[in-house]
Amino acid sequence: MQLVFDFETLSTDRINAPIVSMALIEFDESRFTTQTAYSYTELLEMSRMITFNVESQVKDHGRKIDPDTLEWWGEQGAEAMAQLKPSEFDKPLSECIPFMVEHITDINKVYTRGNTFDPVILDYIAQQFNQVVPYMHWEVRDTRSTIEGMAWGTDLENGFIPEGLEEHFVKHDPRHDVAMDVMRIQTLAIALG
């Protein structure tokens, strides 16, 4: 099994960024064929998401909101902005790794958009709360490189939206981000198959 996860943050500082949310999907790349391919709806339904108490991260853990990142969020649209509103369901950041452990089984590859951001953030969360990251460092991959490698020699961008999904994708909603990355890789796997 493979895992893809994504954080949404209020800073690009990988050590001190307040974490708004995280989503993950455990998927099976052997389904990347035309007979058993995932649908986008199925991937969204498979996604698991947790939101975090930002105020507590700032007050109790010294994490710092970056004004430029906050301004950037203001330009992302109402659907993406909705996740910034505090909720009674927001969890302490210390529940991040237990949430991952609860929603993954036997994984052998771990994907993120870029392996110098999300995995680094997770490492610092683990360090801050004396927890263990639930995968080995050699299992980490990044979807940008995978997509660009699969599309080598074409002008296809790593953030392409497969045909017919443009109206369904919500940028910067981590559930959509992880589902779309699986769809991008699957689309290319089918095209190359």
Side-chain angles (χ1 to χ4, degrees):
M1 294 296 281
Q2 294 74 47
L3 174 73
V4 59
F5 73 91
D6 181 52
F7 285 113
E8 297 300 335
T9 67
L10 292 175
S11 172
T12 57
D13 178 345
R14 294 164 292 184
I15 299 169
N16 295 307
I19 312 302
V20 174
S21 58
M22 180 179 95
L24 58 81
I25 296 176
E26 188 177 74
F27 65 97
D28 182 355
E29 64 188 10
S30 70
R31 285 197 49 195
F32 290 179
T33 68
T34 55
Q35 289 80 27
T36 61
Y38 290 106
S39 71
Y40 190 65
T41 302
E42 180 183 8
L43 289 168
L44 282 174
E45 289 171 357
M46 291 169 53
S47 71
R48 298 295 174 253
M49 182 171 156
I50 185 171
T51 58
F52 299 105
N53 184 317
V54 171
E55 182 180 352
S56 168
Q57 293 176 59
V58 172
K59 283 184 178 177
D60 303 333
H61 302 293
R63 291 178 174 260
K64 296 174 179 59
I65 296 172
D66 175 58
D68 292 337
T69 303
L70 200 55
E71 182 180 328
W72 174 87
W73 271 107
E75 300 165 358
Q76 300 312 305
E79 287 184 86
M81 285 285 296
Q83 68 183 300
L84 299 185
K85 294 178 185 164
S87 161
E88 64 182 284
F89 302 108
D90 291 346
K91 302 293 184 194
L93 189 57
S94 60
E95 291 192 30
C96 178
I97 291 175
F99 169 81
M100 286 188 82
V101 170
E102 178 184 344
H103 293 288
I104 59 176
T105 56
D106 186 26
I107 56 172
N108 59 20
K109 292 179 189 168
V110 177
Y111 289 93
T112 61
R113 279 298 279 160
N115 58 18
T116 61
F117 192 71
D118 300 90
V120 175
I121 289 172
L122 194 65
D123 286 343
Y124 279 104
I125 291 171
Q127 183 179 10
Q128 182 174 18
F129 296 106
N130 198 27
Q131 298 171 340
V132 177
V133 172
Y135 54 79
M136 303 308 294
H137 65 88
W138 61 80
E139 295 171 332
V140 176
R141 311 287 192 271
D142 78 271
T143 60
R144 286 184 186 112
S145 297
T146 300
I147 292 163
E148 289 175 4
M150 293 174 82
W152 182 260
T154 71
D155 60 356
L156 193 67
E157 298 287 327
N158 70 58
F160 79 96
I161 307 294
E163 188 175 328
L165 297 179
E166 299 87 351
E167 63 196 42
H168 302 288
F169 180 56
V170 179
K171 277 183 154 181
H172 310 299
D173 177 321
R175 293 167 296 199
H176 284 264
D177 289 343
V178 293
M180 187 54 71
D181 268 350
V182 175
M183 285 301 294
R184 289 173 178 128
I185 295 170
Q186 175 179 268
T187 299
L188 289 169
I190 290 170
L192 293 170

